[in-house]
Amino acid sequence: MTHWYEGPLAAFDTETTGVDVEGDRIVSAALVVQDTAGGRLRVTRWLVNPGIPVPVGATEIHGLTDDHLQRNGRWPAPVVEEIGRALAEQCAAGRPLVVMNAPFDLTLLDRELKRHRASSLAAYLQNSPLCVLDPRVLDKHLDRYRKGRRTLTDLCELYGVVLDGAHDAAADAAASLELVRAVGRRFSSRLERLTPPELHTLQAVWHASQARGLQAWFAKNGTAEMVDPAWPLRPVLPAAA
């Protein structure tokens, strides 16, 4: 019997103008598909001219400059349409979608669809239920008392996953996919009897609990930052009166 973490998976990642899911924009994205562990990776890449300046701090992270994006990037509207359809195709095919820190990438994509297509991610997925595997949520639940950061780079180092070219969307997506396989193998006794849809439901609960714990820690230390418990997609903020 092939366990889910050895079977078909897809992974999605974005690079952006910043970390505000409501206002920042996608500058590159990638979808990586693998039918079996160790199999060939099928990679789709998108490069976007976001129509707004890319902050220097963002360029320092992913290396994408205004000039490069203006010369080589496509307009956002057709790109986000293609991404929405591509993710829907993976869901329709029954492939779990690996997204590291899913509430960031999926929410930002949803807002880009709203901005440029007057649509939403839910509209593209209305006939194909979303099934997400988030290595950050999985690791934090399965090894909750371990100290240290849980960025993609940190987790790849911990689980022995090669991350070649961090902050490139395709490289990050491929590493996230292999990271989920590594987490599945390490914690197989706790995960192998669960299906990906069951894990999707559980991760929503686990993330909410993790968010409450982090919010309590912020409050204890006098930090005003708010932690959103929603996973894998944050709700649309109500319009200002």
Side-chain angles (χ1 to χ4, degrees):
M1 176 183 175
T2 301
H3 299 303
W4 62 262
Y5 46 83
E6 304 292 357
L9 293 175
F12 176 66
D13 188 73
T14 65
E15 297 300 328
T16 67
T17 59
V19 297
D20 176 10
V21 296
E22 302 296 338
D24 278 307
R25 312 297 173 87
I26 294 172
V27 295
S28 70
L31 178 67
V32 175
V33 180
Q34 189 180 48
D35 291 327
T36 186
R40 181 176 66 90
L41 298 175
R42 303 194 298 279
V43 182
T44 304
R45 296 177 173 87
W46 294 273
L47 191 66
V48 186
N49 178 356
I52 64 170
V54 181
V56 173
T59 296
E60 289 175 347
I61 292 173
H62 50 57
L64 297 171
T65 65
D66 281 328
D67 181 67
H68 179 75
L69 294 171
Q70 289 167 10
R71 289 175 180 270
N72 301 287
R74 298 165 58 202
W75 289 113
V79 172
V80 295
E81 163 80 8
E82 290 175 14
I83 295 173
R85 291 186 180 278
L87 297 191
E89 288 174 5
Q90 297 307 313
C91 292
R95 291 190 188 93
L97 186 64
V98 176
V99 190
M100 174 73 182
N101 190 20
F104 176 78
D105 293 85
L106 295 183
T107 303
L108 202 147
L109 173 60
D110 178 78
R111 303 314 191 253
E112 287 278 63
L113 286 166
K114 180 180 179 182
R115 181 178 296 119
H116 297 291
R117 305 298 302 187
S119 187
S120 67
L121 185 56
Y124 284 81
L125 301 174
Q126 58 184 335
N127 298 317
S128 309
L130 188 62
C131 179
V132 174
L133 298 171
D134 187 333
R136 187 170 182 266
V137 175
L138 290 170
D139 172 75
K140 195 168 185 178
H141 176 77
L142 295 164
D143 197 0
R144 68 181 68 184
Y145 300 113
R146 189 184 75 248
K147 302 293 185 181
R149 302 190 308 166
R150 299 177 194 255
T151 66
L152 179 60
T153 300
D154 296 318
L155 293 181
C156 284
E157 182 177 353
L158 176 70
Y159 285 90
V161 172
V162 175
L163 175 53
D164 187 10
H167 300 298
D168 169 83
D172 286 357
S176 297
L177 188 152
E178 188 55 43
L179 180 58
V180 160
R181 296 198 190 281
V183 172
R185 292 171 189 135
R186 180 171 296 189
F187 296 99
S188 60
S189 63
R190 299 168 64 183
L191 295 177
E192 64 185 7
R193 293 181 179 83
L194 294 168
T195 66
E198 288 171 335
L199 275 171
H200 178 96
T201 301
L202 287 169
Q203 285 169 103
V205 177
W206 297 343
H207 179 270
S209 176
Q210 294 162 9
R212 288 193 297 270
L214 183 57
Q215 191 71 74
W217 187 87
F218 282 154
K220 181 180 179 181
N221 289 273
T223 302
E225 184 174 348
M226 300 300 294
V227 184
D228 196 320
W231 182 98
L233 187 67
R234 297 176 187 170
V236 177
L237 295 174

